[in-house]
Amino acid sequence: LAAGLSQQAPPWAAQYLVKAAPVAGVFGALSQSLGPRIYQFYLSLFGFYKRLPKNAASCLWGLSLCFYGGRYPLALAVLEAFKLTGGSEMAMHLETIKETVEQVQEASAKNDRADADGDGAKDVDQLDAKQLASRKLSLLLRIVDPGEVSEALRGLCSGYLGIIAALQTKYARTTALAHSIGESCRPVAAKLLAPSALAVTPPEYRKWVSPCVNYFCKFLAAVVAWRLQSTLSTFQSGLAGGLLAARSGFALLQSANMIAPGELGETMSDEVVGWTLAAGGVYYQLVQGGAAPI
């Protein structure tokens, strides 16, 4: 395909397309062999999620977040940033791109089976590289709606940039906290550690004592700041997950007619259960520990 496009490209670009043809061929072969399998794997996972009752899926997600969310502060920050920057809209844009890809794949497969002249041989098997490239490009331009794809890509880029900005802001605060702790600890460390270090260090190496004390303070401050951030993420995940699991669980019981429809809004049962789960989740993460089951 790249070789065929090089025959139609301007002279300055043709040489680069020819050089890129082997790489494009390898990439295309890998995409053709592995791409459908990877796509079907994630599609099956998404289909399993869609088949679950909404309240059951939310309850399971809440429990996972409550008892294991604090171990993944970066992933938790990404999820929060995803929701703040319009996660539902990004999901809608991904669905648009998915539908477009499926339409192109279906049309391409139908086009590959076509035999317009009725000679018993597929038309694509009788084309050279240039003609095949023109045929596929023309098919792509006919099938794809540029307005929908442009809007979907714009939405995905906006959401991605919003996530990056949110993460930079979040962890810029952690970096600033680490720097502040390090600067505060350095004078104390210089008074407590430097004299002993100078006493046991040979004279020719004493010039390294001050930099080593400084870097030790920075390293210790980074560990403390990250631990504080992890603790905050633990409380955040415990509270959010506990309340989500409780509310989704009560909604699931209500849909199964196990509790009265108006009972949930008149009592604080969901809040009590949610805060209890949150306390248990925070305690488990901070005291008991343990890796996630999967």
Side-chain angles (χ1 to χ4, degrees), residues 8 15 25 36 43-44 46 49 53 79 114-115 136 139 145 155 158 188 207 209 249 259 263 272 276 286:
Q8 299 178 336
Q15 54 179 334
L43 187 63
S44 62
F46 182 71
Y49 168 76
L79 290 175
D115 181 17
K136 292 296 183 181
L139 176 67
D145 186 341
S158 298
V188 178
K207 61 183 180 181
V209 172
I259 59 175
E263 182 179 347
V272 172
T276 303
L286 292 180

Side-chain angles (χ1 to χ4, degrees), residues 169-267:
T169 302
K170 185 180 184 67
Y171 285 93
R173 293 196 298 266
T174 305
T175 304
L177 177 61
H179 177 74
S180 177
I181 294 174
E183 291 296 320
S184 301
C185 292
R186 188 164 59 180
V188 178
K191 293 178 181 180
L192 296 179
L193 302 179
S196 301
L198 289 172
V200 299
T201 303
E204 61 270 23
Y205 301 121
R206 288 177 179 174
K207 61 183 180 181
W208 289 96
V209 172
S210 179
C212 287
V213 171
N214 291 339
Y215 282 112
F216 173 75
C217 292
K218 291 180 180 179
F219 173 77
L220 182 62
V223 172
V224 172
W226 180 257
R227 183 59 184 172
L228 289 175
Q229 178 61 52
S230 179
T231 303
L232 291 175
S233 298
T234 297
F235 277 93
Q236 178 187 2
S237 64
L239 291 173
L243 291 173
L244 177 62
R247 289 165 181 166
S248 301
F250 274 97
L252 189 63
L253 294 176
Q254 183 175 333
S255 63
N257 296 323
M258 299 181 67
I259 59 175
E263 182 179 347
L264 185 60
E266 297 175 356
T267 65

Side-chain angles (χ1 to χ4, degrees), residues 135-154:
R135 184 186 181 99
K136 292 296 183 181
L137 183 60
S138 176
L139 176 67
L140 182 67
L141 295 177
R142 291 198 308 270
I143 297 300
V144 174
D145 186 341
E148 290 185 355
V149 174
S150 298
E151 181 65 21
L153 293 177
R154 183 199 62 78

Side-chain angles (χ1 to χ4, degrees), residues 7-291:
Q7 300 177 14
Q8 299 178 336
W12 63 270
Q15 54 179 334
Y16 298 107
L17 288 174
V18 172
K19 293 179 180 179
V23 178
V26 173
F27 179 76
L30 290 175
S31 301
Q32 188 174 7
S33 60
L34 298 179
R37 293 179 174 85
I38 297 175
Y39 173 76
Q40 289 298 328
F41 172 73
Y42 285 104
L43 187 63
S44 62
L45 289 181
F46 182 71
F48 174 75
Y49 168 76
K50 295 290 285 186
R51 287 193 299 271
L52 284 175
K54 182 179 179 181
N55 291 324
S58 299
C59 186
L60 291 175
W61 170 246
L63 290 174
S64 302
L65 195 63
C66 179
F67 288 92
Y68 301 102
R71 289 174 174 77
Y72 311 100
L74 183 60
L76 187 62
V78 170
L79 290 175
E80 291 297 325
F82 181 77
K83 290 191 294 185
L84 290 175
T85 54
S88 59
E89 294 182 1
M90 292 183 67
M92 180 184 65
H93 295 316
L94 286 173
E95 186 69 21
T96 299
I97 293 178
K98 169 181 169 294
E99 293 175 356
T100 302
V101 171
E102 290 177 347
Q103 291 175 2
V104 172
Q105 289 178 340
E106 182 180 355
S108 179
K110 183 177 179 181
N111 184 264
D112 291 341
R113 296 190 300 266
D115 181 17
D117 52 11
D119 59 355
K122 298 179 180 179
D123 294 340
V124 293
D125 296 336
Q126 304 177 33
L127 302 177
D128 56 23
K130 180 179 178 180
Q131 293 172 332
L132 180 61
S134 299
R135 184 186 181 99
K136 292 296 183 181
L137 183 60
S138 176
L139 176 67
L140 182 67
L141 295 177
R142 291 198 308 270
I143 297 300
V144 174
D145 186 341
E148 290 185 355
V149 174
S150 298
E151 181 65 21
L153 293 177
R154 183 199 62 78
L156 290 177
C157 290
S158 298
Y160 173 76
L161 292 177
I163 291 174
I164 295 298
L167 290 178
Q168 287 179 342
T169 302
K170 185 180 184 67
Y171 285 93
R173 293 196 298 266
T174 305
T175 304
L177 177 61
H179 177 74
S180 177
I181 294 174
E183 291 296 320
S184 301
C185 292
R186 188 164 59 180
V188 178
K191 293 178 181 180
L192 296 179
L193 302 179
S196 301
L198 289 172
V200 299
T201 303
E204 61 270 23
Y205 301 121
R206 288 177 179 174
K207 61 183 180 181
W208 289 96
V209 172
S210 179
C212 287
V213 171
N214 291 339
Y215 282 112
F216 173 75
C217 292
K218 291 180 180 179
F219 173 77
L220 182 62
V223 172
V224 172
W226 180 257
R227 183 59 184 172
L228 289 175
Q229 178 61 52
S230 179
T231 303
L232 291 175
S233 298
T234 297
F235 277 93
Q236 178 187 2
S237 64
L239 291 173
L243 291 173
L244 177 62
R247 289 165 181 166
S248 301
F250 274 97
L252 189 63
L253 294 176
Q254 183 175 333
S255 63
N257 296 323
M258 299 181 67
I259 59 175
E263 182 179 347
L264 185 60
E266 297 175 356
T267 65
M268 296 181 60
S269 302
D270 54 342
E271 282 80 6
V272 172
V273 174
W275 281 91
T276 303
L277 283 174
V282 171
Y283 173 81
Y284 178 80
Q285 294 185 71
L286 292 180
V287 179
Q288 295 295 328

